[in-house]
Amino acid sequence: MGSSSLTGGDGDLDDLAIGRLVDALAGRWRDGAQVVLVSSGAIAAGLNPLALPKRPRDLATQQAAAAVGQGALMAAYTTSFGRHGARVGQVLLTEMDVTRRSHYVNARRTLVRLLHLGVVPVVNENDSVATQEIRFGDNDRLAALVAHLVKADALVLLSDVDALYDGPPSHPGARRIPVVRGEADLADVVIRGSGSKVGTGGMTTKIEAARIATGAGIPALVTSAALAAEALGGEDVGTVFEAPEVRPRGRLLWLRHASTARGRLELDAGAVDAVVSHRRSLLPAGIVGVSGSFDEGDAVDLVAPDGRVVGRGLVNYASSELPAMLGRSTHDLGDELGEQYRREVIHRDDLALL
């Protein structure tokens, strides 16, 4: 649910809009469906209390607005769902929560347990503490990743536009695209960005989120918040993005789409072949250069000799340690520096090909 659909013309939370959305979701919940709501709106809800005329550009003020607005947003959802006898639980995520192994497992465990307890999780980015370097960027992307995290059957992206059109919806003759079966269906589509003073998304981010979801085997529907009940009822509204049945391994999708690389490892041709063609772990012997500043557990890009980024992985060593290890075997490093240096630089289970 996007910010622009949750707020009125004065910038305050729109209780009627929230009520309509919750009525639609509660209907599916009462029918036995498990519902996860990924909701924008914390920053928008904090604008008026802080006398801010529009969404601030600087990160510190965004964080302050989110800190003020998040409580108001959750209070509104708690009240609205409470009228239907449903409980809600707040889950705030940052990029680090879903790319590092222990955080990823914990996030999934929390969401799954809430669902098993009959609670409706309300997920948002933790805007009040997230820094520019560890942000998802928009909640459409976060929603697609959460859908994959909980192994959802479908993703519904709601905003103030009722569907994807083959041109700007305001232009005469623009036609709704009911189904997208692949990239070819988007070839001639003209897409605009966000037009909202309180949101960060737009149709571009909806399409990218739909690509992430369908890449995870999850169909996605893009439509307006006003049509939420019809969408959840299976009516022919919005635009459906069809998905293949095969679902990839969970955490690698997060690594590919949710992480920000803190540095780069330059590989020789042999290492590229081992990692890409044979899906092997990356060893120090195949690395010829290191750039950036990163710690153990951070995401880094793997770069081929021709400059192509071929993968992204979670590194087992800090950038300060790696230069002395390049070109050497793990056997020699272990003998000289200790058993902890027999580890791979990146284990194949922590490596996503790009």
Side-chain angles (χ1 to χ4, degrees):
M1 184 68 164
S3 296
S4 61
S5 301
L6 292 171
T7 53
D10 58 0
D12 279 334
L13 287 175
D14 185 338
D15 291 333
L16 289 177
I18 290 175
R20 287 193 296 268
L21 170 67
V22 170
D23 289 346
L25 294 175
R28 291 303 303 269
W29 177 81
R30 283 195 304 270
D31 290 339
Q34 292 179 318
V35 176
V36 179
L37 172 60
V38 179
S39 175
S40 301
I43 293 177
L47 298 185
N48 276 1
L50 295 176
L52 298 171
K54 60 182 180 180
R55 183 185 178 92
R57 292 181 178 273
D58 67 290
L59 183 59
T61 309
Q62 289 178 13
Q63 291 172 324
V68 171
Q70 187 65 40
L73 183 65
M74 284 305 300
Y77 280 130
T78 299
T79 299
S80 253
F81 275 103
R83 288 197 292 267
H84 298 276
R87 293 167 296 165
V88 299
Q90 176 177 264
V91 180
L92 300 177
L93 298 174
T94 66
E95 182 230 7
M96 189 178 298
D97 292 323
V98 297
T99 53
R100 295 196 175 184
R101 179 175 303 178
S102 60
H103 295 228
Y104 169 88
V105 171
N106 187 58
R108 172 170 168 74
R109 183 185 298 122
T110 299
L111 287 166
V112 169
R113 186 58 180 153
L114 285 170
L115 291 172
H116 286 170
L117 290 170
V119 175
V120 177
V122 178
V123 182
N124 198 355
E125 181 167 12
N126 197 351
D127 288 309
S128 61
V129 300
T131 64
Q132 199 64 47
E133 289 75 23
I134 56 170
R135 306 195 72 175
F136 289 99
D138 62 76
N139 270 12
D140 295 321
R141 182 162 162 250
L142 173 60
L145 294 165
V146 168
H148 185 60
L149 184 67
V150 299
K151 295 179 169 53
D153 295 310
L155 169 67
V156 180
L157 297 163
L158 301 173
S159 67
D160 50 5
V161 179
D162 67 341
L164 175 64
Y165 286 78
D166 59 4
S170 58
H171 288 193
R175 295 179 298 174
R176 175 175 76 100
I177 300 174
V179 180
V180 173
R181 296 181 174 85
E183 289 299 316
D185 292 341
L186 298 173
D188 299 322
V189 177
V190 178
I191 303 166
R192 295 187 301 180
S194 172
S196 168
K197 68 176 183 179
V198 297
T200 60
M203 190 54 69
T204 300
T205 66
K206 301 289 185 296
I207 292 174
E208 288 304 315
R211 284 178 173 134
I212 294 172
T214 55
I218 301 169
L221 171 65
V222 174
T223 192
S224 66
L227 294 173
E230 290 84 350
L232 293 168
E235 296 185 25
D236 181 19
V237 296
T239 299
V240 173
F241 290 75
E242 294 186 346
E245 295 182 0
V246 178
R247 295 196 178 197
R249 293 182 55 198
R251 203 162 54 86
L252 295 187
L253 189 95
W254 286 88
L255 184 59
R256 186 178 295 116
H257 292 289
S259 65
T260 300
R262 305 286 190 265
R264 294 159 66 95
L265 303 181
E266 299 168 19
L267 313 187
D268 62 26
V272 172
D273 182 62
V275 166
V276 175
S277 301
H278 301 286
R279 294 295 291 127
R280 292 175 181 164
S281 299
L282 177 63
L283 303 177
I287 304 173
V288 298
V290 178
S291 60
S293 177
F294 50 85
D295 296 319
E296 177 184 346
D298 282 344
V300 296
D301 281 340
L302 279 57
V303 184
D306 61 4
R308 290 179 299 115
V309 177
V310 296
R312 179 171 297 166
L314 302 182
V315 68
N316 286 325
Y317 300 93
S319 54
S320 58
E321 297 178 280
L322 278 173
M325 301 169 58
L326 303 189
R328 303 181 63 183
S329 72
T330 52
H331 178 77
D332 290 343
L333 289 168
D335 288 344
E336 180 182 334
L337 302 175
E339 285 299 314
Q340 68 271 28
Y341 285 89
R342 295 191 192 276
R343 295 174 298 167
E344 309 89 346
V345 175
I346 298 177
H347 191 278
R348 63 184 181 183
D349 291 343
D350 294 327
L351 199 162
L353 299 180
L354 302 179

